[in-house]
Amino acid sequence: MRSSLSETCSRIGTFTRIMTSSGPWVGNWRPHKPRGPIAALYGSPGPKYGLPGLTGISKHDPTKFKAPMFSFGVRHYQSNSDCSPGPKYLIPSNITRQGLDGTPAFSLHSRIREQRQFQVPGPGQYIPEHSEKMIYRSAPAFTLSGRIKDFKQSQTPGPAAYNLPPVLGPNTVTTAAAPTPSLYGRSKIGGFDEDLKKTPGPAAYKVVDPYVYMQKAPQFSMTGRNFAPGETTRKPGPGEYRPELVTSTRFKAPSFTFGLRHSQFIAPLIVDVPE
């Protein structure tokens, strides 16, 4: 506060000297030192504004430089689920940081089979008479081989599987059919040699009911007696009812009951008397 006041006074003195050298003052007023601090002489807004802080990471002043900050994070879950076997490997004794130590090592194997000598074919192994087909032209020759196995799996129909449409008879497709009468055997019924003794007589036929082709009279049937359905339970008669005891539809006089006298000095009732 003192530094600000002295700075203000120095500014006013400088302004006074400038004005004095420039010309006379108007009126009786002359520049003088202020009795106290003047708010207009300061450019600070005061405690009205909350300026952002310069420390920490939260709400830091964006116009100021912020130093790098590091945080201590939590342990990752990967370290717990790491399946590394660790130092449980057994390093062989002959392995160094540069590789094998260089000592000779031998292994036992079976004896290698001896290579057979190349057998050169003799003069009798050659058949020069068969070389004519390779040197001279020869007629084509064919061989008959057996049926292959894949032929059994082939389902291709053969020539006998196809049927040509008939050309004879009434059922022709591509040609016109001539009339073809047919010959039947002689019928024994209605012929000249029919034995009429074997014909049925009048008794072989059933008599037709006349009600089929004439007016039929009405017919009635007699059935058993029909009883109306009912209950077989016993119903109370008029003597079973006591209307003088009805109290729900009329006034009832007060009734009292005489109860037993209760006392703590009453003797208990002994039913089984010991002999």
Side-chain angles (χ1 to χ4, degrees), residues 158-172:
Y162 300 95
N163 295 325
L164 297 177
V167 295
L168 298 177
N171 299 325
T172 58

Side-chain angles (χ1 to χ4, degrees), residues 224-230:
R225 182 177 295 179
N226 296 327
F227 296 94

Side-chain angles (χ1 to χ4, degrees), residues 165-186:
V167 295
L168 298 177
N171 299 325
T172 58
V173 178
T174 58
T175 59
T180 55
S182 60
L183 299 177
Y184 292 94
R186 180 177 295 174

